[in-house]
mmCIF file of all heavy atoms in Angstrom:
data_model
loop_
_atom_site.group_PDB
_atom_site.id
_atom_site.type_symbol
_atom_site.label_atom_id
_atom_site.label_comp_id
_atom_site.label_asym_id
_atom_site.label_seq_id
_atom_site.Cartn_x
_atom_site.Cartn_y
_atom_site.Cartn_z
ATOM 1 N N ALA A 1 95.085 -30.688 -12.873
ATOM 2 C CA ALA A 1 95.481 -29.975 -14.082
ATOM 3 C C ALA A 1 96.805 -29.251 -13.783
ATOM 4 O O ALA A 1 97.258 -29.212 -12.666
ATOM 5 C CB ALA A 1 94.493 -28.868 -14.341
ATOM 6 N N TRP A 2 97.493 -28.986 -14.865
ATOM 7 C CA TRP A 2 98.716 -28.041 -14.790
ATOM 8 C C TRP A 2 98.409 -26.671 -15.524
ATOM 9 O O TRP A 2 97.828 -26.669 -16.572
ATOM 10 C CB TRP A 2 99.904 -28.690 -15.558
ATOM 11 C CG TRP A 2 100.397 -29.800 -14.809
ATOM 12 C CD1 TRP A 2 100.154 -31.274 -15.107
ATOM 13 C CD2 TRP A 2 101.450 -29.835 -13.761
ATOM 14 N NE1 TRP A 2 100.787 -32.051 -14.190
ATOM 15 C CE2 TRP A 2 101.562 -31.308 -13.463
ATOM 16 C CE3 TRP A 2 102.059 -28.885 -13.062
ATOM 17 C CZ2 TRP A 2 102.543 -31.599 -12.389
ATOM 18 C CZ3 TRP A 2 102.960 -29.216 -12.215
ATOM 19 C CH2 TRP A 2 103.158 -30.566 -11.852
ATOM 20 N N PHE A 3 98.686 -25.676 -14.767
ATOM 21 C CA PHE A 3 98.663 -24.358 -15.257
ATOM 22 C C PHE A 3 100.015 -23.616 -15.268
ATOM 23 O O PHE A 3 100.816 -24.230 -14.493
ATOM 24 C CB PHE A 3 97.693 -23.376 -14.461
ATOM 25 C CG PHE A 3 96.195 -23.792 -14.656
ATOM 26 C CD1 PHE A 3 95.652 -24.905 -14.071
ATOM 27 C CD2 PHE A 3 95.462 -22.963 -15.409
ATOM 28 C CE1 PHE A 3 94.349 -25.216 -14.185
ATOM 29 C CE2 PHE A 3 94.051 -23.233 -15.581
ATOM 30 C CZ PHE A 3 93.586 -24.349 -14.972
ATOM 31 N N ARG A 4 100.252 -22.712 -15.913
ATOM 32 C CA ARG A 4 101.559 -22.004 -15.962
ATOM 33 C C ARG A 4 101.355 -20.432 -15.993
ATOM 34 O O ARG A 4 100.344 -19.965 -16.558
ATOM 35 C CB ARG A 4 102.461 -22.338 -17.062
ATOM 36 C CG ARG A 4 102.023 -22.117 -18.452
ATOM 37 C CD ARG A 4 102.892 -22.707 -19.495
ATOM 38 N NE ARG A 4 102.491 -22.296 -20.871
ATOM 39 C CZ ARG A 4 103.010 -22.844 -21.976
ATOM 40 N NH1 ARG A 4 104.032 -23.738 -21.910
ATOM 41 N NH2 ARG A 4 102.588 -22.520 -23.194
ATOM 42 N N GLN A 5 102.263 -19.784 -15.401
ATOM 43 C CA GLN A 5 102.178 -18.365 -15.320
ATOM 44 C C GLN A 5 103.593 -17.617 -15.625
ATOM 45 O O GLN A 5 104.473 -17.938 -14.811
ATOM 46 C CB GLN A 5 101.694 -17.757 -14.055
ATOM 47 C CG GLN A 5 101.394 -16.393 -13.903
ATOM 48 C CD GLN A 5 100.499 -15.963 -12.728
ATOM 49 O OE1 GLN A 5 100.327 -16.790 -11.920
ATOM 50 N NE2 GLN A 5 99.974 -14.769 -12.862
ATOM 51 N N ALA A 6 103.722 -16.903 -16.736
ATOM 52 C CA ALA A 6 104.845 -16.239 -17.066
ATOM 53 C C ALA A 6 104.936 -14.872 -16.453
ATOM 54 O O ALA A 6 103.863 -14.523 -16.039
ATOM 55 C CB ALA A 6 105.039 -16.220 -18.538
ATOM 56 N N PRO A 7 106.096 -14.302 -16.333
ATOM 57 C CA PRO A 7 106.186 -12.918 -15.711
ATOM 58 C C PRO A 7 105.249 -12.021 -16.274
ATOM 59 O O PRO A 7 105.329 -11.882 -17.579
ATOM 60 C CB PRO A 7 107.614 -12.690 -15.790
ATOM 61 C CG PRO A 7 108.401 -13.961 -15.840
ATOM 62 C CD PRO A 7 107.466 -14.823 -16.608
ATOM 63 N N GLY A 8 104.369 -11.219 -15.711
ATOM 64 C CA GLY A 8 103.568 -10.171 -16.203
ATOM 65 C C GLY A 8 102.404 -10.742 -16.937
ATOM 66 O O GLY A 8 101.661 -9.971 -17.524
ATOM 67 N N GLN A 9 102.127 -12.059 -16.865
ATOM 68 C CA GLN A 9 100.931 -12.671 -17.561
ATOM 69 C C GLN A 9 100.092 -13.350 -16.674
ATOM 70 O O GLN A 9 100.322 -13.658 -15.467
ATOM 71 C CB GLN A 9 101.555 -13.559 -18.636
ATOM 72 C CG GLN A 9 102.376 -12.947 -19.681
ATOM 73 C CD GLN A 9 102.693 -13.870 -20.868
ATOM 74 O OE1 GLN A 9 102.033 -14.956 -21.050
ATOM 75 N NE2 GLN A 9 103.755 -13.586 -21.582
ATOM 76 N N GLY A 10 98.848 -13.729 -17.134
ATOM 77 C CA GLY A 10 97.941 -14.362 -16.318
ATOM 78 C C GLY A 10 98.195 -15.816 -16.299
ATOM 79 O O GLY A 10 99.193 -16.340 -16.913
ATOM 80 N N ARG A 11 97.459 -16.567 -15.358
ATOM 81 C CA ARG A 11 97.671 -17.992 -15.328
ATOM 82 C C ARG A 11 96.997 -18.714 -16.506
ATOM 83 O O ARG A 11 95.934 -18.529 -16.840
ATOM 84 C CB ARG A 11 97.077 -18.514 -14.033
ATOM 85 C CG ARG A 11 97.549 -19.855 -13.624
ATOM 86 C CD ARG A 11 97.292 -20.085 -12.182
ATOM 87 N NE ARG A 11 98.240 -19.323 -11.350
ATOM 88 C CZ ARG A 11 98.352 -19.464 -9.934
ATOM 89 N NH1 ARG A 11 97.782 -20.345 -9.393
ATOM 90 N NH2 ARG A 11 99.088 -18.592 -9.338
ATOM 91 N N GLU A 12 97.811 -19.483 -17.270
ATOM 92 C CA GLU A 12 97.386 -20.249 -18.425
ATOM 93 C C GLU A 12 97.182 -21.613 -18.232
ATOM 94 O O GLU A 12 98.054 -22.290 -17.669
ATOM 95 C CB GLU A 12 98.424 -19.892 -19.568
ATOM 96 C CG GLU A 12 98.145 -20.635 -20.833
ATOM 97 C CD GLU A 12 99.435 -20.500 -21.781
ATOM 98 O OE1 GLU A 12 100.547 -20.401 -21.292
ATOM 99 O OE2 GLU A 12 99.172 -20.758 -23.023
ATOM 100 N N PHE A 13 96.063 -22.097 -18.758
ATOM 101 C CA PHE A 13 95.867 -23.731 -18.814
ATOM 102 C C PHE A 13 96.844 -24.409 -19.670
ATOM 103 O O PHE A 13 97.161 -23.920 -20.779
ATOM 104 C CB PHE A 13 94.439 -23.932 -19.254
ATOM 105 C CG PHE A 13 94.117 -25.421 -19.543
ATOM 106 C CD1 PHE A 13 93.971 -26.319 -18.486
ATOM 107 C CD2 PHE A 13 94.085 -25.883 -20.769
ATOM 108 C CE1 PHE A 13 93.737 -27.545 -18.602
ATOM 109 C CE2 PHE A 13 93.922 -27.287 -20.979
ATOM 110 C CZ PHE A 13 93.641 -28.163 -19.911
ATOM 111 N N VAL A 14 97.360 -25.534 -19.210
ATOM 112 C CA VAL A 14 98.340 -26.290 -19.959
ATOM 113 C C VAL A 14 97.749 -27.614 -20.260
ATOM 114 O O VAL A 14 97.629 -27.988 -21.384
ATOM 115 C CB VAL A 14 99.590 -26.608 -19.157
ATOM 116 C CG1 VAL A 14 100.576 -27.286 -19.977
ATOM 117 C CG2 VAL A 14 100.284 -25.159 -18.866
ATOM 118 N N ALA A 15 97.252 -28.370 -19.201
ATOM 119 C CA ALA A 15 96.754 -29.660 -19.468
ATOM 120 C C ALA A 15 95.854 -30.153 -18.226
ATOM 121 O O ALA A 15 96.198 -29.631 -17.077
ATOM 122 C CB ALA A 15 97.818 -30.755 -19.711
ATOM 123 N N ALA A 16 95.030 -31.094 -18.487
ATOM 124 C CA ALA A 16 94.217 -31.682 -17.351
ATOM 125 C C ALA A 16 93.833 -33.056 -17.514
ATOM 126 O O ALA A 16 93.909 -33.536 -18.817
ATOM 127 C CB ALA A 16 92.922 -30.708 -17.336
ATOM 128 N N ILE A 17 93.565 -33.785 -16.539
ATOM 129 C CA ILE A 17 93.190 -35.179 -16.483
ATOM 130 C C ILE A 17 92.020 -35.415 -15.515
ATOM 131 O O ILE A 17 92.092 -34.875 -14.343
ATOM 132 C CB ILE A 17 94.432 -35.975 -16.325
ATOM 133 C CG1 ILE A 17 94.122 -37.468 -16.495
ATOM 134 C CG2 ILE A 17 95.024 -35.774 -14.878
ATOM 135 C CD1 ILE A 17 95.390 -38.305 -16.763
ATOM 136 N N LYS A 18 91.124 -36.318 -15.830
ATOM 137 C CA LYS A 18 90.070 -36.541 -14.967
ATOM 138 C C LYS A 18 90.607 -37.860 -14.123
ATOM 139 O O LYS A 18 91.170 -38.774 -14.689
ATOM 140 C CB LYS A 18 88.763 -37.053 -15.629
ATOM 141 C CG LYS A 18 88.161 -35.780 -16.454
ATOM 142 C CD LYS A 18 86.850 -36.073 -17.113
ATOM 143 C CE LYS A 18 85.843 -36.396 -16.168
ATOM 144 N NZ LYS A 18 84.476 -36.517 -16.911
ATOM 145 N N SER A 19 90.234 -37.934 -12.807
ATOM 146 C CA SER A 19 90.944 -38.831 -11.919
ATOM 147 C C SER A 19 90.459 -40.223 -12.275
ATOM 148 O O SER A 19 91.302 -41.255 -12.177
ATOM 149 C CB SER A 19 90.503 -38.448 -10.518
ATOM 150 O OG SER A 19 91.100 -37.234 -10.207
ATOM 151 N N VAL A 20 89.155 -40.520 -12.562
ATOM 152 C CA VAL A 20 88.705 -41.798 -12.779
ATOM 153 C C VAL A 20 88.876 -42.388 -14.140
ATOM 154 O O VAL A 20 89.437 -43.365 -14.399
ATOM 155 C CB VAL A 20 87.236 -41.948 -12.380
ATOM 156 C CG1 VAL A 20 86.656 -43.394 -12.645
ATOM 157 C CG2 VAL A 20 87.093 -41.722 -10.844
ATOM 158 N N SER A 21 88.318 -41.655 -15.199
ATOM 159 C CA SER A 21 88.413 -42.013 -16.545
ATOM 160 C C SER A 21 89.683 -41.974 -17.191
ATOM 161 O O SER A 21 89.992 -42.565 -18.152
ATOM 162 C CB SER A 21 87.367 -41.280 -17.343
ATOM 163 O OG SER A 21 87.707 -39.842 -17.512
ATOM 164 N N GLY A 22 90.575 -40.946 -16.740
ATOM 165 C CA GLY A 22 91.856 -40.645 -17.366
ATOM 166 C C GLY A 22 91.852 -39.787 -18.550
ATOM 167 O O GLY A 22 92.787 -39.704 -19.280
ATOM 168 N N VAL A 23 90.557 -39.343 -18.831
ATOM 169 C CA VAL A 23 90.421 -38.378 -19.981
ATOM 170 C C VAL A 23 91.275 -37.187 -19.877
ATOM 171 O O VAL A 23 91.308 -36.671 -18.778
ATOM 172 C CB VAL A 23 88.996 -37.970 -20.230
ATOM 173 C CG1 VAL A 23 88.773 -36.916 -21.248
ATOM 174 C CG2 VAL A 23 88.167 -39.255 -20.588
ATOM 175 N N THR A 24 92.001 -36.865 -20.886
ATOM 176 C CA THR A 24 93.017 -35.735 -20.861
ATOM 177 C C THR A 24 92.588 -34.722 -21.772
ATOM 178 O O THR A 24 91.874 -34.841 -22.791
ATOM 179 C CB THR A 24 94.391 -36.222 -21.071
ATOM 180 O OG1 THR A 24 94.463 -36.653 -22.566
ATOM 181 C CG2 THR A 24 94.801 -37.234 -20.175
ATOM 182 N N LEU A 25 93.182 -33.509 -21.597
ATOM 183 C CA LEU A 25 92.909 -32.342 -22.438
ATOM 184 C C LEU A 25 94.222 -31.537 -22.451
ATOM 185 O O LEU A 25 94.772 -31.247 -21.335
ATOM 186 C CB LEU A 25 91.774 -31.458 -21.921
ATOM 187 C CG LEU A 25 91.161 -30.470 -22.908
ATOM 188 C CD1 LEU A 25 90.631 -31.088 -24.210
ATOM 189 C CD2 LEU A 25 90.100 -29.632 -22.205
#
């Protein structure tokens, strides 16, 4: 997955992918 964190903020989910199936979110 990719997460991001802006200054003064918490870590936010951006996108994810399953290794075998390739299903993304």
Side-chain angles (χ1 to χ4, degrees):
W2 290 96
F3 288 77
R4 65 186 180 187
Q5 188 165 15
Q9 299 187 19
R11 197 160 291 191
E12 176 191 22
F13 170 76
V14 177
I17 186 167
K18 294 182 72 171
S19 298
V20 175
S21 67
V23 169
T24 63
L25 196 63

